[in-house]
Amino acid sequence: MLKNAGARFSRAFSTVPLDTKAFSDTLFLPKTAFPLRPDPTKNEILYRSRTCEELYRWQRKNIDGPEFVFHDGPPYANGDLHMGHALNKILKDIINRFALLKGRKVHYIPGWDCHGLPIENKALKELGILLIFLHLLYALLLMQWLFEKLHRRRSNSVNLLRIFEQMVNNDHPSAEFVLKTTNLSSFEPIQLLVWTTTPWTLTANMGIAVNSDMVYTLLRRMTDSSLTLVAQSRLEALQDILGPIEILAELKGVDLVGLQYSPIFSSLCDTEPPAMRILGSSHVTSESGTGLVHCAPAHGEEDYKLFRSYDLISSGTQSPSTAMSNTLICHVHDGLFSEKVVDVVGPAAHMLVGKPVLEEGSRGVVELLKQAGRLLAVKRYTHKYPYDWKTDKPIIVTATSQWFANLDRIKDDALKALNDVQFYPNQSRNRLESFIQSRSEWCISRQRVWGVPIPALLNTRTGDAMLNRGSLRHIINVLEEKGVKHWWEGPVEEFLPPEMKTIDVGEWQKSTDTMDVWFDSGTSWSMLDSPSEGRSFRADVCLEGSDQHRGWFQSQLLTAVGSASETITEYPSGAATPNAKLRSPYGTLITHGMVLDEKGKKMSKSLGNIVSPLTILLGGTDKKNDPAYGADILRLWAASVEFKTDISIGRTSLTQTAEAMRKIRNSARFMLGNIRDGTALEGLERVQRKDMGLVERFVMHELYMLEKIALKGYEEFDFAKVTAALVNFANTTLSSLYFDITKDCLYANSFQSIERKAVVTVLEKILDTTTSILAPILPHLAEEIHQHLSRDQNLHPKSFFEKGWKPLDPEWEDYAAAKDMSYLLKIRKAVLGLLEEARGHKRVKSSLEAEVDILLPNEGGDHPVAELLKREEQILKTLFITSDASLVDEGSLGSGSQSSVWVYTESLDLGEDLGMHCKFLR
């Protein structure tokens, strides 16, 4: 029964106005310097040094716990930092900070990547070629700084070459080298009619493809009596080009395969070029063209694969004589026709040499066709052509000389090495394994103006490449002594092994190829110490975006396994147990998704939907719509989302995150205020669990469960679970319940009262535990709370993280208190609901104007819930925040209601087979 308190008590009336501040000096109101809404651009910087640089140096020097190694991936090469980078680095920092709080000595090792296409493109496009060298200088200075910070004795470039040497030793020959050009042959009387949209590739023609299942027509063109061969199905489409014709014969495509023809420019040459072959291929169709396809394997993937299937292209394993007869024909260098085109077009090559193949070069080829009498028609034709999305320029497809690592030998071992690796999310294991399983080779060479060289020596006479155990050992020893740049500057004779010093040095030159950037960054695991003292992996954790399953995750694993000399053994149980040398370089792989805009679309300048992390930190031009949130709110957003899939960000999600941050700060401020920024704890006699009431034991149980959830969430890299549990605890357990019902005790009770001491004891534990929970995600806030509690720097560590995370004692786990409180909270919910109804009817302004009578059924007096209500009757008014709360037998129903001005009632079923009829009168 809930009724108005004024009906029971008399009031003293006075004509003197009530002084609302008259009793403020008699209350222990909260006192704290902790602000609720500080300016993050000014507030966070106060704590940044102590929680970043100083903290990292301190823990490397003072922490004695087991080492935690986090190996970062290669850095971003160019452009402004975007939300993907913010998410990536925040997640990594959260992981490191949690490890530190748990007593681990954190060793954060950045990855490296000293060159790449983005830098080159940006330099060439914006500032010209000279800026390339400025980028190079910056990269070198950056790397020098990095290695000084890491205290490495040898350059990583030499480490990379040592790894490359070991891979070559374990898999020799492990490279595929596509060699250079060949000669051409003579003319045939029947003309094979082909068409092309890329005339510049005709000088690289190595064959003509037909479809074995198609029918071809031999015809005579009446205009010049020439014999011409085309597909029968294309005659109608070619009528306007061929003119009047006489059909002489029909031939099956299969019968044409193997015949030879004279190259198209043979009439321009001084000597007779070798004949070329007609090949059968299913990629020839009757939908367009003439049914005969010009093949230039140096400039087309389908052509290249066709010639490989016929074994007409060198695989790099043949003898020099065989290789030279099967080399690709390519006359393109840096987008221009090279001097080698003279081998195909003869003295007329001056019309092509040095000309851009897509512009003047193509026009020059058409002119040469006219001179040779081999041009039937030229027509404008609209078709698709590949463009480079970075430079917005047409692509010139060329087959270049490259080095390939054979992965067939090592990929099974690589897959077995992943057995002991933990994946988050678990399904990312399938993604990485499928990429490795489907891969048979790795192109490890690049043609860049800088980078780590591939230390091969090339014979200028035969085209052979020398790269073996002896040559690598000698060359790397030279580079280790004189520096990697000596490869570019030193004379070739310094790099010839001792046993070759007597040969003609002029026959040899140094390779200008550099290592693939993924080989560069993939070998960064060599900067990490080998596992020791119970450690199974070089790196405990690696975390990157899902695109790195094709990149850095894979290149690390392949270089680590490929450079090891031992094999993985299979035990009788069938379990593969990798030995120390063949273990994966990382123990845990974590993958995050991409950051999208609020509508789930990819961010791009053209769409105008880019959310910049700097705008979130510092605010935008419109501060009303884009306020300065600071680093901690950005970090809270990153920790609140399910980062293992693609995620969205926008103004709405940031506003929600800021509100969650406000609630967390408000909870901290309430606790700091009621312990007077720590001064109220001085000399405080803490209350033991056995002396606490039900509410305090329940709140401590909830805190214990929160910490348990948070620890598991951090250990499983499920930060969204941590933040959700923390915010829910702050909203539900603290703000809506415990803070609300303890204000009277905190403000009015004596400092020496056992009730107030119990509440302050609980607040102290809540503040300490929740600060530990939020610290990895919100380090600035953790340091700010710690600062307000640590006025005396001689008595407290400088940084909160120096304290470590000391979990609560298991004694606080109290399911009995949780069960009892569940019944009381169900009753409280009903009371609060009826109070709102009374407020709506203008019956009360404050809940303290009401009283509660709880009517117990006669037959349920000895029920456990009834016993609970009787046992805890004294705390009910505190729980309901009313002036009084009493238990009334059902038989006395209505005995006191006549004196009530208003009454509200409700029945409540508490379950547990309790036919309890509770009524609330107001």
Side-chain angles (χ1 to χ4, degrees):
M1 178 184 294
L2 203 77
K3 56 193 178 184
N4 63 309
R8 176 176 294 181
F9 301 107
S10 61
R11 289 184 176 179
F13 293 93
S14 172
T15 58
V16 179
L18 179 65
D19 182 1
T20 58
K21 299 181 179 180
F23 303 103
S24 61
D25 291 339
T26 68
L27 300 176
F28 300 115
L29 297 177
K31 291 183 180 181
T32 178
F34 185 86
L36 179 58
R37 294 185 179 88
D39 181 349
T41 61
K42 298 177 181 178
N43 192 58
E44 290 180 345
I45 199 170
L46 300 175
Y47 310 101
R48 188 153 299 155
S49 179
R50 77 170 63 175
T51 200
C52 293
E53 297 92 341
E54 293 179 15
L55 176 62
Y56 187 81
R57 286 194 294 267
W58 174 88
Q59 64 93 28
R60 291 301 296 168
K61 181 179 179 181
N62 294 281
I63 294 295
D64 296 324
E67 189 162 68
F68 177 82
V69 179
F70 194 111
H71 188 23
D72 202 353
Y76 186 54
N78 71 324
D80 297 328
L81 295 178
H82 55 67
M83 281 307 306
H85 302 120
L87 174 69
N88 181 276
K89 298 303 181 185
I90 288 171
L91 294 175
K92 292 170 180 176
D93 190 61
I94 291 173
I95 293 170
N96 282 331
R97 288 180 182 275
F98 174 68
L100 173 58
L101 276 178
K102 295 299 292 177
R104 304 285 296 273
K105 182 193 289 287
V106 174
H107 195 182
Y108 171 78
I109 303 180
W112 76 293
D113 175 355
C114 71
H115 67 291
L117 179 61
I119 292 177
E120 297 175 22
N121 278 338
K122 194 172 183 67
L124 289 169
K125 184 176 180 180
E126 296 185 1
L127 298 175
I129 192 68
L130 289 179
L131 190 55
I132 288 182
F133 300 103
L134 295 179
H135 275 296
L136 173 58
L137 177 61
Y138 174 77
L140 291 175
L141 291 174
L142 180 63
M143 290 312 303
Q144 180 182 1
W145 172 84
L146 175 60
F147 289 131
E148 286 175 353
K149 297 290 282 185
L150 295 176
H151 303 289
R152 295 295 164 184
R153 297 179 181 177
R154 299 184 301 176
S155 78
N156 193 67
S157 298
V158 174
N159 284 348
L160 185 157
L161 291 173
R162 291 292 185 197
I163 293 169
F164 177 65
E165 175 189 13
Q166 189 60 47
M167 290 182 69
V168 171
N169 292 344
N170 293 341
D171 184 31
H172 187 76
S174 62
E176 181 175 338
F177 195 77
V178 185
L179 302 177
K180 310 296 180 184
T181 62
T182 61
N183 293 323
L184 309 164
S185 93
S186 62
F187 182 67
E188 297 284 345
I190 298 177
Q191 296 178 347
L192 306 177
L193 187 60
V194 300
W195 79 314
T196 182
T197 57
T198 54
W200 58 273
T201 65
L202 289 173
T203 66
N205 176 264
M206 293 182 67
I208 290 178
V210 298
N211 192 311
S212 299
D213 297 328
M214 289 171 57
V215 176
Y216 291 81
T217 298
L218 179 63
L219 58 86
R220 186 182 302 279
R221 295 180 60 241
M222 305 308 293
T223 55
D224 59 5
S225 298
S226 62
L227 297 177
T228 304
L229 187 71
V230 296
Q232 182 190 59
S233 57
R234 298 300 300 163
L235 283 175
E236 184 177 352
L238 297 171
Q239 185 176 0
D240 61 329
I241 293 176
L242 295 172
I245 61 172
E246 176 188 359
I247 295 178
L248 302 178
E250 292 183 350
L251 299 89
K252 294 180 179 179
V254 67
D255 296 329
L256 298 174
V257 175
L259 298 180
Q260 295 185 327
Y261 69 93
S262 179
I264 195 168
F265 296 108
S266 58
S267 63
L268 301 178
C269 296
D270 294 334
T271 59
E272 210 55 42
M276 295 184 177
R277 290 172 55 184
I278 297 178
L279 310 173
S281 177
S282 61
H283 85 277
V284 179
T285 69
S286 60
E287 296 176 359
S288 61
T290 66
L292 294 96
V293 175
H294 140 66
C295 294
H299 302 296
E301 183 178 5
E302 286 182 327
D303 297 349
Y304 180 82
K305 290 179 178 179
L306 174 62
F307 272 65
R308 286 295 300 270
S309 69
Y310 275 89
D311 200 24
L312 295 176
I313 296 178
S314 166
S315 64
T317 60
Q318 296 98 330
S319 64
S321 59
T322 305
M324 288 300 292
S325 65
N326 291 342
T327 54
L328 288 173
I329 298 176
C330 179
H331 305 124
V332 180
H333 181 68
D334 289 340
L336 310 175
F337 272 114
S338 70
E339 294 181 355
K340 293 183 179 181
V341 74
V342 71
D343 297 337
V344 175
V345 301
H350 68 274
M351 297 177 61
L352 303 180
V353 175
K355 301 294 193 301
V357 297
L358 294 179
E359 299 166 2
E360 298 172 61
S362 287
R363 292 191 289 271
V365 170
V366 173
E367 184 60 34
L368 289 179
L369 289 173
K370 291 179 181 178
Q371 292 182 18
R374 297 292 179 261
L375 182 64
L376 184 59
V378 175
K379 284 195 172 185
R380 289 192 175 275
Y381 180 75
T382 302
H383 65 102
K384 292 182 178 179
Y385 192 86
Y387 271 66
D388 176 37
W389 67 274
K390 288 182 179 291
T391 62
D392 197 30
K393 294 185 180 297
I395 291 174
I396 300 172
V397 178
T398 60
T400 55
S401 302
Q402 302 293 349
W403 291 92
F404 290 82
N406 184 355
L407 302 180
D408 289 333
R409 185 192 67 84
I410 64 173
K411 65 181 181 182
D412 287 343
D413 283 348
L415 291 170
K416 291 174 183 176
L418 289 178
N419 289 343
D420 290 337
V421 176
Q422 292 183 301
F423 285 80
Y424 295 90
N426 189 57
Q427 59 266 29
S428 63
R429 174 188 294 276
N430 298 333
R431 180 176 169 86
L432 179 57
E433 289 180 346
S434 65
F435 285 146
I436 294 174
Q437 185 64 53
S438 62
R439 192 173 183 183
S440 60
E441 60 185 19
W442 176 5
C443 181
I444 61 170
S445 55
R446 291 293 184 270
Q447 290 70 52
R448 298 290 175 225
V449 295
W450 67 78
V452 178
I454 292 182
L457 297 172
L458 308 179
N459 190 296
T460 57
R461 180 176 55 83
T462 64
D464 288 345
M466 179 170 61
L467 192 153
N468 53 46
R469 291 174 183 252
S471 67
L472 278 174
R473 185 181 302 110
H474 174 74
I475 292 172
I476 294 176
N477 286 340
V478 173
L479 297 181
E480 193 166 29
E481 177 185 350
K482 298 188 177 182
V484 175
K485 68 177 182 179
H486 190 65
W487 176 260
W488 313 112
E489 301 171 352
V492 67
E493 53 264 29
E494 284 195 53
F495 300 102
L496 289 172
E499 63 271 18
M500 298 181 63
K501 296 292 186 179
T502 59
I503 68 171
D504 183 4
V505 174
E507 290 187 358
W508 295 91
Q509 65 182 27
K510 296 172 293 182
S511 168
T512 58
D513 293 333
T514 58
M515 290 287 184
D516 170 30
V517 64
W518 290 114
F519 201 100
D520 252 357
S521 59
T523 56
S524 59
W525 56 264
S526 65
M527 297 189 296
L528 282 60
D529 294 332
S530 298
S532 61
E533 297 180 5
R535 291 178 51 79
S536 300
F537 304 93
R538 289 176 180 258
D540 291 284
V541 174
C542 290
L543 179 151
E544 294 298 337
S546 56
D547 56 330
Q548 294 307 320
H549 290 117
R550 291 183 180 272
W552 189 59
F553 290 163
Q554 192 175 148
S555 63
Q556 277 198 90
L557 181 67
L558 294 175
T559 54
V561 173
S563 61
S565 59
E566 298 182 24
T567 57
I568 293 180
T569 56
E570 292 281 347
Y571 282 82
S573 63
T577 306
N579 55 48
K581 288 190 176 181
L582 276 182
R583 277 193 180 276
S584 162
Y586 39 72
T588 298
L589 275 190
I590 307 172
T591 305
H592 66 76
M594 303 297 108
V595 182
L596 310 175
D597 75 357
E598 206 154 29
K599 297 180 180 178
K601 295 181 179 179
K602 182 179 178 180
M603 295 186 194
S604 69
K605 289 183 179 179
S606 60
L607 293 177
N609 62 345
I610 292 178
V611 179
S612 168
L614 289 179
T615 300
I616 296 174
L617 294 177
L618 306 176
T621 53
D622 181 0
K623 291 293 191 294
K624 182 177 181 180
N625 289 318
D626 297 312
Y629 286 114
D632 270 5
I633 286 183
L634 180 58
R635 293 173 65 95
L636 182 58
W637 166 83
S640 301
V641 296
E642 296 290 346
F643 69 81
K644 299 179 182 74
T645 61
D646 290 349
I647 51 182
S648 299
I649 190 171
R651 286 171 175 166
T652 301
S653 57
L654 287 171
T655 300
Q656 293 169 346
T657 305
E659 177 61 17
M661 180 67 160
R662 186 190 67 80
K663 292 177 179 178
I664 294 172
R665 285 192 67 93
N666 199 35
S667 296
R669 188 169 187 267
F670 180 90
M671 290 183 281
L672 285 167
N674 282 286
I675 61 176
R676 306 292 180 95
D677 285 345
T679 58
L681 301 176
E682 298 173 4
L684 175 70
E685 183 182 353
R686 273 68 169 179
V687 177
Q688 301 300 308
R689 176 184 175 277
K690 62 182 179 63
D691 298 322
M692 288 184 177
L694 174 62
V695 174
E696 277 65 44
R697 288 186 285 111
F698 164 72
V699 171
M700 285 303 301
H701 169 79
E702 291 293 290
L703 180 65
Y704 179 83
M705 298 308 295
L706 166 66
E707 183 180 57
K708 190 174 180 179
I709 292 171
L711 287 169
K712 184 178 180 183
Y714 278 123
E715 288 164 358
E716 296 178 351
F717 311 104
D718 190 351
F719 309 137
K721 179 184 290 185
V722 177
T723 57
L726 178 61
V727 173
N728 181 69
F729 180 79
N731 288 340
T732 306
T733 305
L734 297 184
S735 180
S736 298
L737 177 63
Y738 195 58
F739 290 171
D740 210 19
I741 67 177
T742 57
K743 288 178 181 176
D744 282 354
C745 174
L746 288 169
Y747 298 171
N749 283 22
S750 165
F751 271 40
Q752 302 305 316
S753 71
I754 185 67
E755 294 86 359
R756 193 180 193 283
K757 287 181 180 179
V759 174
V760 172
T761 299
V762 170
L763 290 182
E764 179 187 19
K765 291 186 178 296
I766 294 174
L767 184 60
D768 183 65
T769 299
T770 55
T771 305
S772 294
I773 292 171
L774 65 84
I777 297 169
L778 306 172
H780 297 96
L781 177 57
E783 299 291 8
E784 187 178 2
I785 294 171
H786 180 67
Q787 171 71 26
H788 283 78
L789 285 172
S790 308
R791 300 294 183 185
D792 187 348
Q793 295 296 326
N794 295 323
L795 297 178
H796 296 278
K798 186 172 184 181
S799 168
F800 176 83
F801 290 88
E802 296 177 23
K803 294 173 56 178
W805 187 336
K806 301 177 181 61
L808 291 167
D809 192 290
E811 70 165 348
W812 296 110
E813 185 177 58
D814 192 339
Y815 286 102
K819 184 177 181 180
D820 286 349
M821 280 298 295
S822 68
Y823 295 118
L824 299 186
L825 291 176
K826 190 173 184 180
I827 299 172
R828 182 178 189 266
K829 182 179 180 181
V831 172
L832 296 181
L834 291 177
L835 279 169
E836 285 304 312
E837 187 178 347
R839 286 193 183 95
H841 293 160
K842 308 295 184 182
R843 298 291 192 183
V844 295
K845 293 182 179 179
S846 168
S847 61
L848 291 173
E849 298 176 28
E851 296 176 357
V852 180
D853 286 346
I854 301 177
L855 281 71
L856 300 175
N858 293 329
E859 65 276 12
D862 58 351
H863 192 278
V865 177
E867 292 294 330
L868 167 67
L869 288 169
K870 294 174 183 178
R871 185 172 67 249
E872 302 295 342
E873 182 177 4
Q874 76 281 0
I875 70 166
L876 294 179
K877 67 177 182 179
T878 301
L879 196 62
F880 305 150
I881 318 178
T882 56
S883 62
D884 198 9
S886 305
L887 298 178
V888 181
D889 293 336
E890 190 175 28
S892 59
L893 176 62
S895 61
S897 62
Q898 295 82 353
S899 61
S900 300
V901 175
W902 47 262
V903 176
Y904 290 88
T905 66
E906 181 176 323
S907 298
L908 184 64
D909 182 8
L910 293 180
E912 294 286 333
D913 299 323
L914 177 63
M916 183 176 180
H917 187 66
C918 299
K919 293 190 176 182
F920 303 91
L921 285 78
R922 300 178 177 182

